[in-house]
């Protein structure tokens, strides 16, 4: 019997790896904030809110490694570092923005579904 949805294992692994990066809550928030233009580390940290310095550093490094963000160091004292979306990052901004908008529009519906589920399973 042939599988209904043939796929290649290596494709699934590649897709899963990328979705792990772009589906992370901090990635979504960071990409969204950088969509408005370049930001310095502390500006970005304040704009995202609730993210630790370590988590922001980790998120930015991952985004830079994957080609979504560039890091530019300016030779000033103290050094100034700006983070900016690359062309690939701007392409990612499209589905990230759509998902964020969908989440905002459906928060009430999801909350109601959770309350109904929790009430039935209490």
């Amino acid at each position: 019997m042939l599988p209904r949805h043939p796929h290649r294992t290596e494709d699934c692994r590649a897709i899963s790896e990328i979705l792990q990066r772009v589906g992370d809550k901090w990635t979504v928030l960071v990409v969204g904030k950088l969509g408005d233009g370049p930001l310095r580390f502390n500006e970005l940290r304040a704009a995202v809110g609730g993210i630790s310095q370590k988590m922001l550093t980790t998120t930015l490094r991952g985004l830079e490694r994957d080609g979504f963000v560039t890091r530019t160091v300016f030779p000033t004292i103290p050094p100034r570092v700006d983070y900016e979306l690359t062309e690939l990052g701007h392409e990612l901004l499209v589905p990230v923005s759509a998902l964020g908008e969908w989440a905002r529009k459906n928060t009430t519906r999801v909350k109601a579904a959770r309350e109904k589920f929790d009430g039935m399973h209490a």
Side-chain angles (χ1 to χ4, degrees):
M1 180 174 189
L2 293 173
R4 287 178 37 185
H5 302 287
H7 65 277
R8 296 185 346 201
T9 303
E10 61 272 11
D11 289 346
C12 290
R13 276 193 220 117
I15 291 167
S16 177
E17 187 179 305
I18 290 172
L19 288 178
Q20 282 180 326
R21 161 68 55 219
V22 301
D24 172 78
K25 83 173 185 177
W26 296 121
T27 294
V28 169
L29 294 171
V30 167
V31 167
K33 295 300 180 185
L34 289 175
D36 295 331
L39 290 171
R40 295 170 78 170
F41 185 90
N42 286 328
E43 292 172 331
L44 186 54
R45 186 171 174 206
V48 170
I51 190 169
S52 69
Q53 181 173 336
K54 182 180 190 283
M55 186 52 66
L56 181 55
T57 298
T58 301
T59 301
L60 287 168
R61 281 188 184 147
L63 288 169
E64 185 179 10
R65 179 175 183 253
D66 291 343
F68 297 113
V69 169
T70 58
R71 179 180 184 268
T72 305
V73 180
F74 296 93
T76 59
I77 299 177
R80 176 179 158 190
V81 180
D82 283 1
Y83 295 90
E84 185 173 11
L85 292 180
T86 62
E87 181 180 336
L88 185 62
H90 280 284
E91 290 176 22
L92 176 61
L93 187 58
V94 174
V96 163
S97 296
L99 185 58
E101 185 59 30
W102 180 89
R104 279 187 284 283
K105 286 181 180 178
N106 290 286
T107 299
T108 304
R109 292 170 66 194
V110 171
K111 187 184 270 188
R114 287 176 180 170
E115 289 171 1
K116 180 179 176 184
F117 180 90
D118 292 347
M120 291 177 7
H121 294 89

